[in-house]
Amino acid sequence: MSSEDIKSDEIDIKSVVSSLIENKRLFFFASIISLIISSFSYFFYDDFYESSSVLYTTNSESSSMNSSSFDRLADLGGFNLNLSQMDNQASYCLKLFDSIDFFIEVLEPDLLSDLIGARKAKSLWSNLEDNLNSKNIFLAHDRFKKRFQVDFDEDFNTFDLEITSSSPGLSQSTLQKIIDTANSKIREKDLVEARKKLEFVRAKLSSENLSQIKEVLSSLAAESYGIIALAESREEYYLKTIQKPYFNPLSQKIGFFLFILISLLIFNTVVFLYTLFFRIIDQ
């Protein structure tokens, strides 16, 4: 290949730069268009903030661990204790998070407004007790479930909770209330069951004469007393916070200036390639 052929295949950088300068109006209009499109897209895109927390499940499984033992003894004694038959506290907690009753306990005016809009929320909240079966409550609950994500790791016995809302403070406070309410509900359930067990044990102890049965009943009573003492003394009864609720300071939506910068780069890159392509053809 001759040197002239090589030169003919080379791109004349000066001519390309000259073409870019000549097409500066095209770059200018591309920048204006990208600015308009990116600004329009940014301001009409909903802004959501995400808060998350990691929780460790404390050892309160004893409340359900001996329910089957109590039930068998209660059946023999003619008692109906109606104890929880949940496999464990984790499965109970997962069902709790999904229930509409739990959602109503967590509900606050700001959260309701964020879910269904200020006008509907104001009307609903003013008479909430009479509107618990209204379509707006079910609508709010459906939207809440889409925003609230729960992941339970069986290997490490941890819950990962995430919730999104239109303000960082709301997402953080809502997540904290979810944790507090869940602990309160599980504590309440365990207290009710422990007291039922104690009532049964007292009745059986007064009527049983066999020392072995009394020894078993006394052991079960001691465990029930332990559950009651634990429930009444520990603030984080079942869900213990490893990582407190926090929100990411960066919105899920890209920052305004970064959004514009990306649009400018895309549009001007297209114009540059367009100019370069036709310059090569002309050569």
Side-chain angles (χ1 to χ4, degrees), residues 240-258:
K240 186 175 179 62
T241 305
I242 298 175
Q243 177 181 286
K244 292 185 176 182
Y246 76 99
F247 71 93
N248 190 337
L250 293 178
S251 167
Q252 287 183 345
K253 180 172 57 177
I254 302 173
F256 179 61
F257 293 106
L258 183 60

Side-chain angles (χ1 to χ4, degrees), residues 84-106 141 144-145 148 150-152 159 161 178 181-182 185-186 189 238-239:
S84 171
Q85 294 302 312
M86 299 299 298
D87 294 331
N88 51 51
Q89 296 284 45
S91 59
Y92 174 81
C93 195
L94 289 169
K95 289 187 177 182
L96 189 66
F97 285 144
D98 196 53
S99 70
I100 192 168
D101 291 334
F102 179 81
F103 165 69
I104 290 171
E105 290 201 35
V106 170
H141 183 227
F144 174 78
K145 289 196 295 183
F148 178 47
V150 181
D151 181 36
F152 177 65
F159 280 91
L161 308 183
I178 288 170
T181 304
K185 296 293 288 184
I186 295 172
K189 175 184 75 70
Y238 175 64
L239 297 174

Side-chain angles (χ1 to χ4, degrees), residues 166-209:
S166 60
S167 88
L170 179 60
S171 62
Q172 196 172 7
S173 62
T174 300
L175 193 55
Q176 184 61 59
K177 187 168 185 183
I178 288 170
I179 297 167
D180 294 341
T181 304
N183 272 321
S184 177
K185 296 293 288 184
I186 295 172
R187 179 188 293 110
E188 180 183 333
K189 175 184 75 70
D190 284 358
L191 281 171
V192 169
E193 293 189 353
R195 285 165 182 156
K196 284 183 179 180
K197 293 172 183 179
L198 281 175
E199 182 182 349
F200 162 72
V201 167
R202 290 192 187 106
K204 290 294 289 180
L205 282 172
S206 63
S207 61
E208 287 291 342
N209 295 319

Side-chain angles (χ1 to χ4, degrees), residues 79-140:
F79 287 85
N80 182 16
L81 298 180
N82 293 317
L83 298 180
S84 171
Q85 294 302 312
M86 299 299 298
D87 294 331
N88 51 51
Q89 296 284 45
S91 59
Y92 174 81
C93 195
L94 289 169
K95 289 187 177 182
L96 189 66
F97 285 144
D98 196 53
S99 70
I100 192 168
D101 291 334
F102 179 81
F103 165 69
I104 290 171
E105 290 201 35
V106 170
L107 201 57
E108 293 287 348
D110 290 342
L111 175 60
L112 187 60
S113 178
D114 193 52
L115 292 169
I116 62 174
R119 183 178 297 179
K120 289 181 180 179
K122 185 177 180 181
S123 174
L124 187 61
W125 189 261
S126 63
N127 197 14
L128 184 61
E129 291 186 2
D130 294 333
N131 291 297
L132 294 180
N133 293 318
S134 68
K135 63 179 183 180
N136 284 329
I137 280 289
F138 291 106
L139 174 63

Side-chain angles (χ1 to χ4, degrees), residues 14-27 275:
K14 290 183 178 179
S15 64
V16 171
V17 172
S18 176
S19 297
L20 294 175
I21 294 173
E22 290 175 2
N23 290 284
K24 59 185 177 182
R25 288 186 178 180
L26 188 59
F27 283 97
T275 304

